[in-house]
Amino acid sequence: MFLLAFQSVLGQNSFDNFFKPSDSLNKKRQNSVYITEAVLASGALIGLNQLWYADYPRSDFHFINDNAEWMQMDKLGHLYTSYHIGRFGAETLNWSGASKQNQLVYGAGLGFVFLTAVEVMDGFSEEWGASMGDVVANAAGTALYVSQELIWNEQRIIPKFSYHKTQYSNYRPDLLGSTTQEQILKDYNGQTYWFSVNLYSFAKKSKIPKWLNVALGYGAEGMIGENEVINPIIFPSKPLKFRQFYLSLDLDLTKINTKSHFLKTVFSVFNTVKIPAPTLEYSAQEGFKFHGLYF
């Protein structure tokens, strides 16, 4: 509401004009996009190598099969990440005035290329290994973005993410995170991945609000590692792993009407996150449950 109150002001100054996509190819902007992406990707890979892989021995390149681990939550994480890195890549090229073809080839493919590079680093680490399941998930995320642009020229189905704190991180802080920031990334028990579907896009002659979405979510619980030693003080027995399915309402922030290009950029960034909303949950272990506000 605060941002919307200033949209008329922002729409009239040079700051807002900076965020306006170019009507034709702006080579200065395009070069800036390519250089920025190259620097950020290289820096991220170098930093990842030093912070994550440097403490573990190297090995010959090898594959592992981890498709059965974490109830496939990690695979949805790869799809989600690949989709949104690719989406941001395409949108920044659109900002530079690049052609639609270049947006889809060089922009949308950014997520797949970056995550594949990470997979190669996994493959040379003795602690881990490259996963074909991860590669397929990366490709699926890129394909989800590109296919919608080719078929509909818009994104009608958007992967989103939400998180809530769980008790499991208290039991395995080394694996599931000891701080909130770590737990958001590592504790799959608290993560939910969504496919948020824009209703108006499929019924444009209706009176459905353009920003209203229905979201289908997937989560899992009871995951504390494959070889854990049970602490009876926290868990009297090994937690039972089970899948959870969700149905909820959501917003497509990019469909909110505003003339401010700055706000459009802000809405695009935050459109990666599922908003808290009333939610129906189903699991085989617990049946149906209703949450007045689920995140």
Side-chain angles (χ1 to χ4, degrees):
M1 293 295 292
F2 175 79
L3 290 171
L4 287 172
F6 286 89
Q7 66 175 334
S8 60
V9 177
L10 290 171
Q12 297 173 5
N13 59 34
S14 58
F15 175 76
D16 189 65
N17 288 334
F18 172 79
F19 293 93
K20 181 180 180 181
S22 178
D23 295 330
S24 58
L25 179 60
N26 185 319
K27 290 188 176 181
K28 184 178 179 180
R29 282 189 176 188
Q30 187 182 66
N31 291 337
S32 297
V33 169
Y34 288 143
I35 293 172
T36 301
E37 289 178 349
V39 170
L40 289 176
S42 299
L45 292 174
I46 293 171
L48 185 63
N49 181 66
Q50 293 300 315
L51 296 173
W52 192 266
Y53 297 100
D55 294 334
Y56 298 95
R58 304 292 185 180
S59 69
D60 293 333
F61 185 83
H62 63 286
F63 283 95
I64 60 171
N65 185 350
D66 62 349
N67 294 332
E69 296 181 7
W70 300 112
M71 307 288 281
Q72 295 77 52
M73 288 292 292
D74 59 324
K75 301 299 179 271
L76 282 174
H78 276 266
L79 183 152
Y80 168 88
T81 305
S82 179
Y83 173 93
H84 283 294
I85 292 178
R87 180 173 71 86
F88 291 143
E91 289 180 356
T92 53
L93 282 180
N94 178 59
W95 170 77
S96 75
S99 67
K100 189 71 173 181
Q101 179 179 351
N102 285 349
Q103 292 175 37
L104 296 181
V105 174
Y106 301 109
L110 181 63
F112 178 78
V113 172
F114 176 78
L115 291 175
T116 298
V118 175
E119 210 61 43
V120 171
M121 296 170 72
D122 275 348
F124 283 106
S125 174
E126 187 175 298
E127 183 74 9
W128 294 279
S131 166
M132 281 305 301
D134 290 351
V135 174
V136 170
N138 298 338
T142 300
L144 179 61
Y145 179 85
V146 173
S147 61
Q148 292 188 84
E149 289 296 314
L150 293 175
I151 296 171
W152 298 314
N153 198 35
E154 64 178 348
Q155 297 298 299
R156 299 183 178 184
I157 304 171
I158 302 172
K160 292 195 177 186
F161 172 86
S162 67
Y163 170 82
H164 60 273
K165 186 175 177 61
T166 72
Q167 60 176 327
Y168 301 100
S169 58
N170 296 328
Y171 178 62
R172 290 295 304 274
D174 57 320
L175 181 66
L176 304 179
S178 58
T179 66
T180 300
Q181 292 84 354
E182 290 181 349
Q183 290 160 9
I184 291 173
L185 295 174
K186 294 182 176 182
D187 186 3
Y188 290 114
N189 300 282
Q191 297 178 1
T192 306
Y193 288 99
W194 305 83
F195 288 97
S196 186
V197 182
N198 183 252
L199 298 176
Y200 178 81
S201 295
F202 289 98
K204 294 191 174 182
K205 293 184 179 180
S206 69
K207 295 183 179 181
I208 298 174
K210 292 182 179 181
W211 40 261
L212 182 62
N213 281 23
V214 168
L216 303 175
Y218 173 74
E221 197 169 317
M223 301 173 291
I224 54 175
E226 297 300 322
N227 300 309
E228 67 276 7
V229 177
I230 301 302
N231 184 338
I233 297 177
I234 300 176
F235 290 116
S237 61
K238 184 176 179 179
L240 176 67
K241 297 179 182 179
F242 60 95
R243 305 176 191 274
Q244 299 155 312
F245 302 91
Y246 301 92
L247 177 65
S248 183
L249 297 175
D250 189 31
L251 300 181
D252 186 341
L253 300 179
T254 64
K255 295 293 194 298
I256 295 176
N257 188 27
T258 175
K259 294 180 180 180
S260 168
H261 295 285
F262 168 71
L263 286 181
K264 288 180 180 179
T265 302
V266 172
F267 290 155
S268 177
V269 170
F270 283 97
N271 212 39
T272 57
V273 179
K274 164 75 170 62
I275 67 162
T279 300
L280 182 65
E281 173 190 341
Y282 172 78
S283 66
Q285 283 70 23
E286 300 181 352
F288 286 98
K289 293 170 58 178
F290 179 76
H291 304 271
L293 201 63
Y294 178 86
F295 192 70

